[in-house]
mmCIF file of all heavy atoms in Angstrom:
data_model
loop_
_atom_site.group_PDB
_atom_site.id
_atom_site.type_symbol
_atom_site.label_atom_id
_atom_site.label_comp_id
_atom_site.label_asym_id
_atom_site.label_seq_id
_atom_site.Cartn_x
_atom_site.Cartn_y
_atom_site.Cartn_z
ATOM 1 N N PRO A 8 87.274 108.110 120.202
ATOM 2 C CA PRO A 8 88.345 107.720 121.135
ATOM 3 C C PRO A 8 89.366 106.828 120.454
ATOM 4 O O PRO A 8 90.549 106.907 120.724
ATOM 5 C CB PRO A 8 87.617 106.983 122.258
ATOM 6 C CG PRO A 8 86.235 106.803 121.800
ATOM 7 C CD PRO A 8 85.973 107.761 120.719
ATOM 8 N N ARG A 38 119.105 132.140 106.261
ATOM 9 C CA ARG A 38 120.093 131.862 107.317
ATOM 10 C C ARG A 38 121.332 131.282 106.677
ATOM 11 O O ARG A 38 121.255 130.516 105.752
ATOM 12 C CB ARG A 38 119.523 130.805 108.272
ATOM 13 C CG ARG A 38 118.451 131.329 109.166
ATOM 14 C CD ARG A 38 118.997 131.672 110.547
ATOM 15 N NE ARG A 38 118.369 132.881 111.027
ATOM 16 C CZ ARG A 38 118.980 133.747 111.813
ATOM 17 N NH1 ARG A 38 120.203 133.548 112.180
ATOM 18 N NH2 ARG A 38 118.355 134.825 112.215
ATOM 19 N N LEU A 40 125.070 129.185 107.539
ATOM 20 C CA LEU A 40 125.475 128.127 108.449
ATOM 21 C C LEU A 40 125.964 128.703 109.770
ATOM 22 O O LEU A 40 125.738 128.151 110.830
ATOM 23 C CB LEU A 40 126.597 127.307 107.834
ATOM 24 C CG LEU A 40 126.142 126.229 106.856
ATOM 25 C CD1 LEU A 40 127.343 125.599 106.234
ATOM 26 C CD2 LEU A 40 125.311 125.190 107.566
ATOM 27 N N LEU A 62 98.845 131.917 105.745
ATOM 28 C CA LEU A 62 99.112 130.602 106.322
ATOM 29 C C LEU A 62 98.116 130.225 107.394
ATOM 30 O O LEU A 62 97.850 129.044 107.604
ATOM 31 C CB LEU A 62 100.532 130.582 106.893
ATOM 32 C CG LEU A 62 101.627 130.649 105.836
ATOM 33 C CD1 LEU A 62 102.972 130.809 106.511
ATOM 34 C CD2 LEU A 62 101.629 129.400 104.986
ATOM 35 N N GLY A 139 105.218 122.523 100.888
ATOM 36 C CA GLY A 139 106.114 121.512 101.434
ATOM 37 C C GLY A 139 106.528 120.532 100.348
ATOM 38 O O GLY A 139 105.895 120.432 99.306
ATOM 39 N N ILE A 140 107.602 119.798 100.631
ATOM 40 C CA ILE A 140 108.067 118.780 99.685
ATOM 41 C C ILE A 140 107.377 117.471 100.038
ATOM 42 O O ILE A 140 107.427 117.021 101.174
ATOM 43 C CB ILE A 140 109.587 118.616 99.779
ATOM 44 C CG1 ILE A 140 110.273 119.884 99.282
ATOM 45 C CG2 ILE A 140 110.046 117.438 98.974
ATOM 46 C CD1 ILE A 140 111.765 119.798 99.302
ATOM 47 N N HIS A 152 105.731 102.805 87.759
ATOM 48 C CA HIS A 152 105.631 103.818 86.706
ATOM 49 C C HIS A 152 104.473 104.765 86.958
ATOM 50 O O HIS A 152 104.588 105.983 86.796
ATOM 51 C CB HIS A 152 105.458 103.113 85.360
ATOM 52 C CG HIS A 152 105.503 104.042 84.200
ATOM 53 N ND1 HIS A 152 106.678 104.486 83.637
ATOM 54 C CD2 HIS A 152 104.522 104.642 83.505
ATOM 55 C CE1 HIS A 152 106.411 105.297 82.647
ATOM 56 N NE2 HIS A 152 105.106 105.429 82.536
ATOM 57 N N GLU A 155 105.357 107.231 89.764
ATOM 58 C CA GLU A 155 106.293 108.270 89.313
ATOM 59 C C GLU A 155 105.581 109.287 88.434
ATOM 60 O O GLU A 155 105.820 110.491 88.522
ATOM 61 C CB GLU A 155 107.460 107.621 88.562
ATOM 62 C CG GLU A 155 108.415 106.906 89.490
ATOM 63 C CD GLU A 155 109.613 106.305 88.792
ATOM 64 O OE1 GLU A 155 109.550 106.094 87.568
ATOM 65 O OE2 GLU A 155 110.598 106.037 89.487
ATOM 66 N N GLY A 162 103.937 117.836 90.425
ATOM 67 C CA GLY A 162 105.082 118.688 90.699
ATOM 68 C C GLY A 162 105.783 118.310 91.990
ATOM 69 O O GLY A 162 106.487 119.120 92.578
ATOM 70 N N GLU A 163 105.570 117.062 92.437
ATOM 71 C CA GLU A 163 106.228 116.594 93.667
ATOM 72 C C GLU A 163 107.226 115.497 93.311
ATOM 73 O O GLU A 163 107.553 115.327 92.136
ATOM 74 C CB GLU A 163 105.189 116.077 94.671
ATOM 75 C CG GLU A 163 104.214 117.148 95.133
ATOM 76 C CD GLU A 163 104.877 118.281 95.894
ATOM 77 O OE1 GLU A 163 105.983 118.074 96.434
ATOM 78 O OE2 GLU A 163 104.309 119.379 95.939
ATOM 79 N N TYR A 164 107.670 114.752 94.317
ATOM 80 C CA TYR A 164 108.792 113.837 94.108
ATOM 81 C C TYR A 164 108.397 112.397 94.394
ATOM 82 O O TYR A 164 107.445 112.145 95.128
ATOM 83 C CB TYR A 164 109.969 114.261 95.005
ATOM 84 C CG TYR A 164 110.289 115.713 94.809
ATOM 85 C CD1 TYR A 164 109.635 116.687 95.535
ATOM 86 C CD2 TYR A 164 111.198 116.121 93.836
ATOM 87 C CE1 TYR A 164 109.890 118.034 95.322
ATOM 88 C CE2 TYR A 164 111.462 117.457 93.619
ATOM 89 C CZ TYR A 164 110.802 118.409 94.357
ATOM 90 O OH TYR A 164 111.055 119.739 94.132
ATOM 91 N N ALA A 165 109.142 111.461 93.791
ATOM 92 C CA ALA A 165 108.811 110.044 93.949
ATOM 93 C C ALA A 165 110.078 109.245 94.171
ATOM 94 O O ALA A 165 111.157 109.622 93.717
ATOM 95 C CB ALA A 165 108.087 109.514 92.711
ATOM 96 N N HIS A 166 109.921 108.139 94.883
ATOM 97 C CA HIS A 166 111.046 107.216 95.079
ATOM 98 C C HIS A 166 110.504 105.809 95.082
ATOM 99 O O HIS A 166 110.093 105.295 96.113
ATOM 100 C CB HIS A 166 111.746 107.544 96.411
ATOM 101 C CG HIS A 166 112.989 106.745 96.605
ATOM 102 N ND1 HIS A 166 114.230 107.287 96.489
ATOM 103 C CD2 HIS A 166 113.180 105.445 96.887
ATOM 104 C CE1 HIS A 166 115.143 106.349 96.704
ATOM 105 N NE2 HIS A 166 114.527 105.228 96.956
ATOM 106 N N ARG A 168 112.292 103.171 93.814
ATOM 107 C CA ARG A 168 113.446 102.331 93.461
ATOM 108 C C ARG A 168 114.082 101.800 94.721
ATOM 109 O O ARG A 168 113.606 102.038 95.816
ATOM 110 C CB ARG A 168 114.454 103.176 92.684
ATOM 111 C CG ARG A 168 113.834 103.923 91.532
ATOM 112 C CD ARG A 168 113.551 103.039 90.378
ATOM 113 N NE ARG A 168 112.835 103.704 89.318
ATOM 114 C CZ ARG A 168 112.648 103.191 88.127
ATOM 115 N NH1 ARG A 168 113.120 102.009 87.841
ATOM 116 N NH2 ARG A 168 111.981 103.855 87.219
ATOM 117 N N LEU A 174 119.547 107.359 103.251
ATOM 118 C CA LEU A 174 119.069 108.458 102.418
ATOM 119 C C LEU A 174 118.493 109.598 103.234
ATOM 120 O O LEU A 174 118.724 110.769 102.959
ATOM 121 C CB LEU A 174 117.997 107.938 101.462
ATOM 122 C CG LEU A 174 117.792 108.783 100.216
ATOM 123 C CD1 LEU A 174 118.914 108.564 99.252
ATOM 124 C CD2 LEU A 174 116.485 108.464 99.566
ATOM 125 N N SER A 184 125.291 118.485 100.921
ATOM 126 C CA SER A 184 125.392 118.945 102.300
ATOM 127 C C SER A 184 124.218 119.796 102.749
ATOM 128 O O SER A 184 123.843 119.740 103.885
ATOM 129 C CB SER A 184 126.698 119.694 102.502
ATOM 130 O OG SER A 184 126.943 120.517 101.387
ATOM 131 N N MET A 185 123.616 120.591 101.853
ATOM 132 C CA MET A 185 122.548 121.468 102.357
ATOM 133 C C MET A 185 121.233 121.142 101.677
ATOM 134 O O MET A 185 120.580 121.995 101.119
ATOM 135 C CB MET A 185 122.921 122.929 102.101
ATOM 136 C CG MET A 185 124.065 123.378 102.963
ATOM 137 S SD MET A 185 123.842 125.057 103.543
ATOM 138 C CE MET A 185 124.199 125.940 102.042
ATOM 139 N N ARG A 187 117.314 119.918 101.379
ATOM 140 C CA ARG A 187 116.077 120.026 102.159
ATOM 141 C C ARG A 187 115.357 118.691 102.081
ATOM 142 O O ARG A 187 115.074 118.189 100.999
ATOM 143 C CB ARG A 187 115.217 121.133 101.539
ATOM 144 C CG ARG A 187 113.964 121.413 102.314
ATOM 145 C CD ARG A 187 113.183 122.543 101.682
ATOM 146 N NE ARG A 187 111.782 122.421 102.002
ATOM 147 C CZ ARG A 187 110.818 123.160 101.473
ATOM 148 N NH1 ARG A 187 111.124 124.072 100.565
ATOM 149 N NH2 ARG A 187 109.573 122.978 101.821
ATOM 150 N N LEU A 188 115.057 118.097 103.241
ATOM 151 C CA LEU A 188 114.398 116.799 103.251
ATOM 152 C C LEU A 188 112.904 116.958 102.997
ATOM 153 O O LEU A 188 112.349 118.034 103.179
ATOM 154 C CB LEU A 188 114.621 116.109 104.601
ATOM 155 C CG LEU A 188 115.998 115.525 104.823
ATOM 156 C CD1 LEU A 188 116.009 114.717 106.092
ATOM 157 C CD2 LEU A 188 116.438 114.646 103.656
ATOM 158 N N PRO A 189 112.235 115.863 102.602
ATOM 159 C CA PRO A 189 110.792 115.970 102.374
ATOM 160 C C PRO A 189 110.053 116.374 103.644
ATOM 161 O O PRO A 189 110.458 116.015 104.750
ATOM 162 C CB PRO A 189 110.383 114.558 101.973
ATOM 163 C CG PRO A 189 111.617 113.873 101.584
ATOM 164 C CD PRO A 189 112.749 114.541 102.270
ATOM 165 N N ASP A 190 108.944 117.137 103.454
ATOM 166 C CA ASP A 190 108.117 117.512 104.604
ATOM 167 C C ASP A 190 107.016 116.507 104.850
ATOM 168 O O ASP A 190 106.360 116.544 105.886
ATOM 169 C CB ASP A 190 107.497 118.884 104.342
ATOM 170 C CG ASP A 190 108.565 119.940 104.147
ATOM 171 O OD1 ASP A 190 109.370 120.111 105.076
ATOM 172 O OD2 ASP A 190 108.590 120.559 103.082
ATOM 173 N N MET A 214 113.481 110.961 111.667
ATOM 174 C CA MET A 214 113.802 112.318 111.236
ATOM 175 C C MET A 214 112.633 113.275 111.461
ATOM 176 O O MET A 214 112.665 114.397 110.965
ATOM 177 C CB MET A 214 114.157 112.331 109.741
ATOM 178 C CG MET A 214 115.293 111.440 109.359
ATOM 179 S SD MET A 214 116.805 111.810 110.244
ATOM 180 C CE MET A 214 117.202 113.388 109.578
ATOM 181 N N HIS A 215 111.605 112.830 112.198
ATOM 182 C CA HIS A 215 110.433 113.656 112.506
ATOM 183 C C HIS A 215 109.744 114.160 111.250
ATOM 184 O O HIS A 215 109.362 115.316 111.155
ATOM 185 C CB HIS A 215 110.828 114.852 113.383
ATOM 186 C CG HIS A 215 111.446 114.449 114.673
ATOM 187 N ND1 HIS A 215 110.734 113.914 115.717
ATOM 188 C CD2 HIS A 215 112.732 114.463 115.081
ATOM 189 C CE1 HIS A 215 111.555 113.630 116.706
ATOM 190 N NE2 HIS A 215 112.770 113.954 116.358
ATOM 191 N N MET B 1 89.618 109.092 127.258
ATOM 192 C CA MET B 1 90.927 108.423 127.054
ATOM 193 C C MET B 1 91.972 109.479 126.764
ATOM 194 O O MET B 1 91.913 110.153 125.746
ATOM 195 C CB MET B 1 90.776 107.486 125.838
ATOM 196 C CG MET B 1 91.974 106.649 125.610
ATOM 197 S SD MET B 1 91.595 105.074 124.848
ATOM 198 C CE MET B 1 91.178 105.437 123.201
ATOM 199 N N ARG B 15 112.768 121.563 113.077
ATOM 200 C CA ARG B 15 113.697 121.272 112.002
ATOM 201 C C ARG B 15 114.160 122.564 111.392
ATOM 202 O O ARG B 15 113.395 123.473 111.137
ATOM 203 C CB ARG B 15 113.051 120.408 110.922
ATOM 204 C CG ARG B 15 114.037 120.050 109.832
ATOM 205 C CD ARG B 15 113.427 119.202 108.785
ATOM 206 N NE ARG B 15 112.426 119.978 108.044
ATOM 207 C CZ ARG B 15 111.795 119.519 106.975
ATOM 208 N NH1 ARG B 15 112.055 118.334 106.552
ATOM 209 N NH2 ARG B 15 110.912 120.242 106.369
ATOM 210 N N PHE B 17 115.427 124.884 108.573
ATOM 211 C CA PHE B 17 115.333 124.978 107.129
ATOM 212 C C PHE B 17 116.387 125.942 106.657
ATOM 213 O O PHE B 17 116.339 127.120 106.986
ATOM 214 C CB PHE B 17 113.933 125.454 106.720
ATOM 215 C CG PHE B 17 113.867 125.881 105.295
ATOM 216 C CD1 PHE B 17 114.223 125.006 104.283
ATOM 217 C CD2 PHE B 17 113.480 127.159 104.948
ATOM 218 C CE1 PHE B 17 114.180 125.385 102.953
ATOM 219 C CE2 PHE B 17 113.432 127.543 103.621
ATOM 220 C CZ PHE B 17 113.773 126.675 102.635
ATOM 221 N N LYS B 27 130.108 122.089 101.082
ATOM 222 C CA LYS B 27 130.333 122.551 102.456
ATOM 223 C C LYS B 27 130.125 121.395 103.401
ATOM 224 O O LYS B 27 129.393 120.464 103.126
ATOM 225 C CB LYS B 27 129.314 123.642 102.799
ATOM 226 C CG LYS B 27 129.466 124.881 101.925
ATOM 227 C CD LYS B 27 129.325 126.127 102.793
ATOM 228 C CE LYS B 27 129.817 127.330 102.050
ATOM 229 N NZ LYS B 27 128.823 127.958 101.241
ATOM 230 N N VAL B 30 127.800 121.611 109.003
ATOM 231 C CA VAL B 30 127.981 122.002 110.394
ATOM 232 C C VAL B 30 126.736 122.710 110.848
ATOM 233 O O VAL B 30 126.424 123.795 110.389
ATOM 234 C CB VAL B 30 129.206 122.933 110.537
ATOM 235 C CG1 VAL B 30 129.390 123.338 111.970
ATOM 236 C CG2 VAL B 30 130.451 122.224 110.027
ATOM 237 N N ALA B 33 124.380 126.216 114.128
ATOM 238 C CA ALA B 33 123.386 127.278 114.256
ATOM 239 C C ALA B 33 122.093 126.784 114.877
ATOM 240 O O ALA B 33 121.203 127.561 115.158
ATOM 241 C CB ALA B 33 123.106 127.883 112.881
ATOM 242 N N GLU B 37 119.347 129.170 116.491
ATOM 243 C CA GLU B 37 118.063 129.301 115.801
ATOM 244 C C GLU B 37 116.910 129.112 116.772
ATOM 245 O O GLU B 37 115.920 129.816 116.734
ATOM 246 C CB GLU B 37 117.942 128.226 114.728
ATOM 247 C CG GLU B 37 118.184 128.649 113.292
ATOM 248 C CD GLU B 37 117.503 129.891 112.811
ATOM 249 O OE1 GLU B 37 117.990 130.971 113.177
ATOM 250 O OE2 GLU B 37 116.503 129.783 112.108
ATOM 251 N N THR B 42 113.605 133.192 114.458
ATOM 252 C CA THR B 42 113.145 134.205 113.500
ATOM 253 C C THR B 42 112.477 133.538 112.308
ATOM 254 O O THR B 42 112.586 132.351 112.118
ATOM 255 C CB THR B 42 114.326 135.019 112.957
ATOM 256 O OG1 THR B 42 115.302 134.094 112.509
ATOM 257 C CG2 THR B 42 114.896 135.912 114.014
ATOM 258 N N GLY B 43 111.846 134.329 111.573
ATOM 259 C CA GLY B 43 111.186 134.049 110.313
ATOM 260 C C GLY B 43 110.940 132.617 109.857
ATOM 261 O O GLY B 43 110.146 132.412 108.982
ATOM 262 N N GLN B 45 109.677 128.657 109.760
ATOM 263 C CA GLN B 45 108.403 128.057 110.149
ATOM 264 C C GLN B 45 108.572 126.948 111.171
ATOM 265 O O GLN B 45 109.187 127.116 112.188
ATOM 266 C CB GLN B 45 107.755 127.505 108.897
ATOM 267 C CG GLN B 45 107.145 128.593 108.092
ATOM 268 C CD GLN B 45 106.096 128.022 107.180
ATOM 269 O OE1 GLN B 45 105.684 126.883 107.363
ATOM 270 N NE2 GLN B 45 105.671 128.804 106.257
ATOM 271 N N ARG B 48 112.649 122.028 113.080
ATOM 272 C CA ARG B 48 112.892 120.692 113.632
ATOM 273 C C ARG B 48 114.383 120.509 113.787
ATOM 274 O O ARG B 48 115.155 120.818 112.897
ATOM 275 C CB ARG B 48 112.344 119.629 112.677
ATOM 276 C CG ARG B 48 110.850 119.596 112.698
ATOM 277 C CD ARG B 48 110.340 118.454 111.887
ATOM 278 N NE ARG B 48 109.203 118.918 111.115
ATOM 279 C CZ ARG B 48 108.762 118.321 110.013
ATOM 280 N NH1 ARG B 48 109.377 117.276 109.564
ATOM 281 N NH2 ARG B 48 107.741 118.780 109.379
ATOM 282 N N ARG B 50 117.774 118.740 113.759
ATOM 283 C CA ARG B 50 118.423 117.558 113.203
ATOM 284 C C ARG B 50 119.778 117.434 113.874
ATOM 285 O O ARG B 50 120.613 118.305 113.762
ATOM 286 C CB ARG B 50 118.608 117.736 111.679
ATOM 287 C CG ARG B 50 117.386 117.392 110.935
ATOM 288 C CD ARG B 50 117.590 116.725 109.599
ATOM 289 N NE ARG B 50 118.727 117.028 108.821
ATOM 290 C CZ ARG B 50 118.713 117.733 107.679
ATOM 291 N NH1 ARG B 50 117.598 118.249 107.257
ATOM 292 N NH2 ARG B 50 119.782 117.912 106.988
ATOM 293 N N TRP B 140 119.104 122.066 93.378
ATOM 294 C CA TRP B 140 117.847 122.617 93.873
ATOM 295 C C TRP B 140 117.870 124.131 93.791
ATOM 296 O O TRP B 140 118.905 124.752 93.684
ATOM 297 C CB TRP B 140 117.574 122.154 95.307
ATOM 298 C CG TRP B 140 118.707 122.351 96.242
ATOM 299 C CD1 TRP B 140 119.006 123.477 96.949
ATOM 300 C CD2 TRP B 140 119.698 121.394 96.607
ATOM 301 N NE1 TRP B 140 120.119 123.282 97.718
ATOM 302 C CE2 TRP B 140 120.563 122.005 97.534
ATOM 303 C CE3 TRP B 140 119.946 120.063 96.233
ATOM 304 C CZ2 TRP B 140 121.642 121.342 98.088
ATOM 305 C CZ3 TRP B 140 121.029 119.415 96.792
ATOM 306 C CH2 TRP B 140 121.856 120.054 97.707
ATOM 307 N N ASP B 143 114.424 128.008 96.965
ATOM 308 C CA ASP B 143 113.559 127.625 98.076
ATOM 309 C C ASP B 143 113.891 126.240 98.601
ATOM 310 O O ASP B 143 113.186 125.721 99.459
ATOM 311 C CB ASP B 143 112.089 127.689 97.640
ATOM 312 C CG ASP B 143 111.825 126.812 96.442
ATOM 313 O OD1 ASP B 143 112.804 126.291 95.864
ATOM 314 O OD2 ASP B 143 110.657 126.632 96.062
ATOM 315 N N ARG B 145 113.706 123.419 96.971
ATOM 316 C CA ARG B 145 113.018 122.317 96.269
ATOM 317 C C ARG B 145 113.905 121.837 95.122
ATOM 318 O O ARG B 145 114.318 122.627 94.284
ATOM 319 C CB ARG B 145 111.685 122.808 95.717
ATOM 320 C CG ARG B 145 110.626 123.052 96.748
ATOM 321 C CD ARG B 145 109.335 123.411 96.071
ATOM 322 N NE ARG B 145 108.714 122.232 95.486
ATOM 323 C CZ ARG B 145 107.679 121.598 96.012
ATOM 324 N NH1 ARG B 145 107.155 122.015 97.144
ATOM 325 N NH2 ARG B 145 107.164 120.557 95.420
ATOM 326 N N PRO B 146 114.190 120.529 95.064
ATOM 327 C CA PRO B 146 115.007 120.032 93.962
ATOM 328 C C PRO B 146 114.297 120.206 92.631
ATOM 329 O O PRO B 146 113.067 120.229 92.555
ATOM 330 C CB PRO B 146 115.168 118.544 94.285
ATOM 331 C CG PRO B 146 114.852 118.416 95.726
ATOM 332 C CD PRO B 146 113.866 119.469 96.039
ATOM 333 N N HIS B 148 114.583 118.118 89.891
ATOM 334 C CA HIS B 148 114.179 116.868 89.248
ATOM 335 C C HIS B 148 113.282 116.071 90.174
ATOM 336 O O HIS B 148 113.539 115.977 91.367
ATOM 337 C CB HIS B 148 115.434 116.065 88.897
ATOM 338 C CG HIS B 148 115.201 115.056 87.838
ATOM 339 N ND1 HIS B 148 114.671 113.818 88.089
ATOM 340 C CD2 HIS B 148 115.403 115.094 86.516
ATOM 341 C CE1 HIS B 148 114.570 113.146 86.969
ATOM 342 N NE2 HIS B 148 115.020 113.892 85.983
ATOM 343 N N PHE B 149 112.234 115.464 89.593
ATOM 344 C CA PHE B 149 111.250 114.791 90.459
ATOM 345 C C PHE B 149 111.779 113.501 91.049
ATOM 346 O O PHE B 149 111.172 112.920 91.944
ATOM 347 C CB PHE B 149 109.944 114.557 89.684
ATOM 348 C CG PHE B 149 109.983 113.417 88.700
ATOM 349 C CD1 PHE B 149 109.281 112.247 88.950
ATOM 350 C CD2 PHE B 149 110.686 113.505 87.522
ATOM 351 C CE1 PHE B 149 109.284 111.212 88.045
ATOM 352 C CE2 PHE B 149 110.709 112.482 86.616
ATOM 353 C CZ PHE B 149 109.999 111.324 86.869
ATOM 354 N N TYR B 152 115.339 112.478 94.997
ATOM 355 C CA TYR B 152 115.556 111.772 96.257
ATOM 356 C C TYR B 152 115.937 110.314 96.079
ATOM 357 O O TYR B 152 116.158 109.608 97.055
ATOM 358 C CB TYR B 152 114.317 111.894 97.162
ATOM 359 C CG TYR B 152 114.167 113.290 97.709
ATOM 360 C CD1 TYR B 152 113.211 114.153 97.199
ATOM 361 C CD2 TYR B 152 114.997 113.761 98.724
ATOM 362 C CE1 TYR B 152 113.098 115.441 97.678
ATOM 363 C CE2 TYR B 152 114.880 115.038 99.204
ATOM 364 C CZ TYR B 152 113.920 115.888 98.678
ATOM 365 O OH TYR B 152 113.798 117.158 99.152
ATOM 366 N N THR B 153 115.974 109.817 94.823
ATOM 367 C CA THR B 153 116.442 108.445 94.626
ATOM 368 C C THR B 153 117.961 108.380 94.676
ATOM 369 O O THR B 153 118.521 107.322 94.883
ATOM 370 C CB THR B 153 116.005 107.905 93.253
ATOM 371 O OG1 THR B 153 116.501 108.803 92.264
ATOM 372 C CG2 THR B 153 114.507 107.827 93.142
ATOM 373 N N TYR B 159 117.563 106.838 86.689
ATOM 374 C CA TYR B 159 116.193 106.389 86.926
ATOM 375 C C TYR B 159 115.202 107.121 86.038
ATOM 376 O O TYR B 159 114.186 106.549 85.633
ATOM 377 C CB TYR B 159 115.824 106.559 88.404
ATOM 378 C CG TYR B 159 116.433 105.506 89.295
ATOM 379 C CD1 TYR B 159 117.073 105.847 90.469
ATOM 380 C CD2 TYR B 159 116.376 104.161 88.955
ATOM 381 C CE1 TYR B 159 117.629 104.881 91.285
ATOM 382 C CE2 TYR B 159 116.933 103.196 89.756
ATOM 383 C CZ TYR B 159 117.559 103.556 90.923
ATOM 384 O OH TYR B 159 118.112 102.601 91.724
ATOM 385 N N HIS B 163 112.646 105.342 83.547
ATOM 386 C CA HIS B 163 111.234 105.721 83.567
ATOM 387 C C HIS B 163 110.759 106.033 82.158
ATOM 388 O O HIS B 163 109.704 105.577 81.708
ATOM 389 C CB HIS B 163 111.064 106.926 84.497
ATOM 390 C CG HIS B 163 109.682 107.479 84.543
ATOM 391 N ND1 HIS B 163 108.676 106.947 85.311
ATOM 392 C CD2 HIS B 163 109.132 108.544 83.918
ATOM 393 C CE1 HIS B 163 107.573 107.648 85.143
ATOM 394 N NE2 HIS B 163 107.824 108.626 84.310
ATOM 395 N N GLY B 167 108.158 103.941 79.949
ATOM 396 C CA GLY B 167 106.968 104.624 79.443
ATOM 397 C C GLY B 167 106.766 104.346 77.960
ATOM 398 O O GLY B 167 105.653 104.088 77.491
#
Side-chain angles (χ1 to χ4, degrees):
Chain A
R38 287 261 141 212
L40 278 175
L62 292 172
I140 293 182
H152 187 82
E155 287 183 340
E163 297 297 338
Y164 308 87
H166 186 107
R168 309 284 174 169
L174 202 75
S184 41
M185 290 219 286
R187 184 178 154 188
L188 285 188
D190 300 301
M214 302 303 292
H215 301 286
Chain B
M1 186 151 72
R15 183 180 68 174
F17 166 57
K27 297 222 165 87
V30 180
E37 258 313 77
T42 51
Q45 283 201 14
R48 287 187 222 159
R50 277 216 328 251
W140 50 86
D143 57 352
R145 288 185 75 103
H148 201 277
F149 76 109
Y152 289 105
T153 56
Y159 284 133
H163 176 81

